[in-house]
Amino acid sequence: MSADVILAIVIATALAFDFTNGFHDTANVVATSISTRAMPPRLAVGFAAILNFVGAFISLEVAATVAKDVVESGAITTTVVFAGLIGAIAWNLATWWFGLPSSSSHALIGGVVGATIAAAGTSAVLGEGLLGKVMIPAVIAPMLAFVVGVVGINLAYGIAGRERPGTVSRGFRMGQVVSGGLLALAHGTNDAQKTMGVITLALIANGTLSESAGVPFWVVASAATAIALGTYMGGWRIIRTMGTRIIKMDSAQGFSAQGAGAAVILTSTHFGFPLSTTQVISGGVMGSGAGKRLSVVRWGVAGNIVVAWLLTLPAAAGGGAAVFGLTELLGGGAAAVVIVAALSAFGSVLLFLRRNRSSLLAAPAPQEATA
Amino acid sequence: MIATVVDTKELWETVVAAFVAGVGVTASFSFVILGAARFAGLRRADRPLAAGAFGALAVVALIVALAAITLGMIAMLSK
């Protein structure tokens, strides 16, 4: 009974994490299509939500990596998975609060690794899998997307750049319906699978699944639904603020950036590499920008990505280990997990309220804004 | 040392496949636009033969782009 309560909390927390992932990443997935006017905002967000849902069903390689190649699934408990999730959420909230760059995917893996080390020692961490399947692909993928973006946009300008601007622009906008769709599909498949992997890991740790078992269909369907709902809900927030946040780019650059991001994420997913989709999409956008003119690229974003690479994994691991320690300190059973989950939920709500309050106080009054 | 830990073959295949797919689809689609734009211009200029050639280029390039995307999806679904 106690184990089932912990498992239920872990599943609910993992799905909430998945929802926030979709909510947060909507901007990255649809921004390019909206900024080039390839699609109206409402259609772009709805389209992205549907394709995120579909994408979650097309592969299970990343889920298998998270469930079996990062930590020794037989050596950990559901409390460890719970602590890892809370550690990741805590890091994401802290970076959101201080405006630091972060990767939800790296935070999730870092949190689970940290909690595993605290619970079962470093021997329970599969170093080969962590380095070969997570850390090295995490470094290579955004750079690869950048290179594909640079080469792609130069080819696009070289081949079609001398034609009438209106025709070229219309053509690439039409192409963006497909490239934007592929990007949403890629995002859904890579990001939703991390949640599937974590839930599967918890089911194995609980003894509900054997170590050799695959990902159950209900796990795939619930993760797909959570990320799609998050994408759809996050989209409305983006529609309201998109005027100030989206980078200016032409439709050829949009097509090239989306193509680069989708190609890198889909290929990596095929080989089971859990990536930071945000970093890959940023790499593609910067590449297609740099291909036109180096000065249009916000190189600060590249610096932020490097900071995120260096900080996220160890910091989330520290968070995961600390949460595991706290849970153990409170007795380690279902009651301890419930208390930590309640404290985390309370803390998150408090942070959101304080942040919103300070944003409202900092915002100029309507008459000041128009003056 | 890293080569013994990392499956370099998988990593290399990822790099090559992503590069070929990303650049290939962008290039193919650019040819679609080039072909379609020239087709329209040459047809207006009453040069049906040249217009037909560019129209064929647009159609072939579109087929190549769609085939590449379809093959990629089939490869993902079949693993």
Side-chain angles (χ1 to χ4, degrees):
Chain A
M1 177 65 187
S2 166
D4 290 342
V5 171
I6 300 175
L7 183 64
I9 291 173
V10 169
I11 293 169
T13 312
L15 291 175
F17 187 86
D18 200 22
F19 176 87
T20 55
N21 191 322
F23 188 90
H24 180 266
D25 285 5
T26 310
N28 308 319
V29 177
V30 302
T32 329
S33 295
I34 295 173
S35 67
T36 61
R37 298 187 182 167
M39 288 174 107
R42 278 169 196 274
L43 184 64
V45 171
F47 190 51
I50 291 167
L51 287 169
N52 263 273
F53 181 82
V54 175
F57 289 88
I58 65 173
S59 170
L60 288 172
E61 295 299 318
V62 173
T65 299
V66 174
K68 288 162 189 172
D69 292 343
V70 177
V71 294
E72 195 75 63
S73 52
I76 64 165
T77 62
T78 43
T79 309
V80 171
V81 183
F82 168 76
L85 274 165
I86 298 294
I89 291 170
W91 174 247
N92 277 347
L93 282 172
T95 51
W96 168 75
W97 178 266
F98 290 110
L100 294 168
S102 181
S103 157
S104 300
S105 312
H106 297 169
L108 183 61
I109 290 166
V112 171
V113 168
T116 302
I117 292 172
T122 49
S123 60
V125 177
L126 303 172
E128 270 186 37
L130 184 63
L131 187 66
K133 290 262 184 181
V134 180
M135 292 173 78
I136 291 177
V139 176
I140 292 175
M143 293 195 282
L144 178 60
F146 179 87
V147 172
V148 174
V150 168
V151 177
I153 192 62
N154 277 303
L155 277 174
Y157 285 149
I159 294 166
R162 286 180 199 153
E163 303 308 311
R164 286 178 166 193
T167 311
V168 173
S169 193
R170 265 197 309 278
F172 278 114
R173 263 188 225 145
M174 282 164 69
Q176 274 196 277
V177 175
V178 177
S179 61
L182 283 171
L183 189 63
L185 201 73
H187 179 263
T189 188
N190 202 287
D191 275 8
Q193 282 190 66
K194 287 157 201 152
T195 306
M196 293 176 208
V198 166
I199 295 175
T200 306
L201 190 61
L203 291 168
I204 293 170
N206 193 48
T208 314
L209 283 180
S210 72
E211 277 186 55
S212 57
V215 183
F217 180 76
W218 69 264
V219 174
V220 179
S222 54
T225 307
I227 201 164
L229 280 174
T231 304
Y232 189 73
M233 308 264 289
W236 303 122
R237 186 176 59 99
I238 298 307
I239 286 168
R240 281 200 293 272
T241 57
M242 66 170 202
T244 53
R245 284 193 183 177
I246 293 169
I247 311 154
K248 281 266 176 202
M249 55 165 49
D250 64 40
S251 57
Q253 286 174 301
F255 183 86
S256 172
Q258 289 173 326
V264 172
I265 297 168
L266 286 171
T267 315
S268 303
T269 305
H270 183 64
F271 289 104
F273 300 138
L275 301 174
S276 165
T277 50
T278 305
Q279 291 178 3
V280 174
I281 296 168
S282 301
V285 169
M286 282 191 283
S288 64
K292 188 176 186 182
R293 205 171 66 233
L294 283 172
S295 60
V296 301
V297 179
R298 293 178 184 171
W299 291 105
V301 176
N304 287 348
I305 289 174
V306 175
V307 173
W309 277 340
L310 296 175
L311 278 183
T312 305
L313 272 171
V323 174
F324 181 78
L326 177 66
T327 315
E328 287 298 296
L329 210 67
L330 293 168
V337 169
V338 170
I339 291 168
V340 174
L343 282 173
S344 306
F346 179 72
S348 306
V349 171
L350 207 67
L351 270 179
F352 272 111
L353 290 176
R354 282 196 62 137
R355 189 67 169 173
N356 284 342
R357 189 164 162 261
S358 48
S359 303
L360 283 172
L361 290 173
Q367 59 269 43
E368 288 173 320
T370 51
Chain B
M1 186 250 175
I2 282 177
T4 58
V5 176
V6 180
D7 189 341
T8 43
K9 186 175 168 279
E10 267 192 1
L11 215 54
W12 183 242
E13 279 177 13
T14 305
V15 170
V16 172
F19 186 85
V20 170
V23 171
V25 170
T26 304
S28 300
F29 197 74
S30 303
F31 278 115
V32 175
I33 292 170
L34 172 75
R38 293 272 173 96
F39 169 77
L42 289 165
R43 214 172 66 150
R44 274 196 301 272
D46 209 18
R47 290 174 59 192
L49 207 65
F54 276 105
L57 172 72
V59 171
V60 170
L62 185 64
I63 291 169
V64 168
L66 292 176
I69 293 167
T70 311
L71 280 173
M73 294 324 284
I74 290 170
M76 285 205 71
L77 287 166
S78 61
K79 192 168 179 182

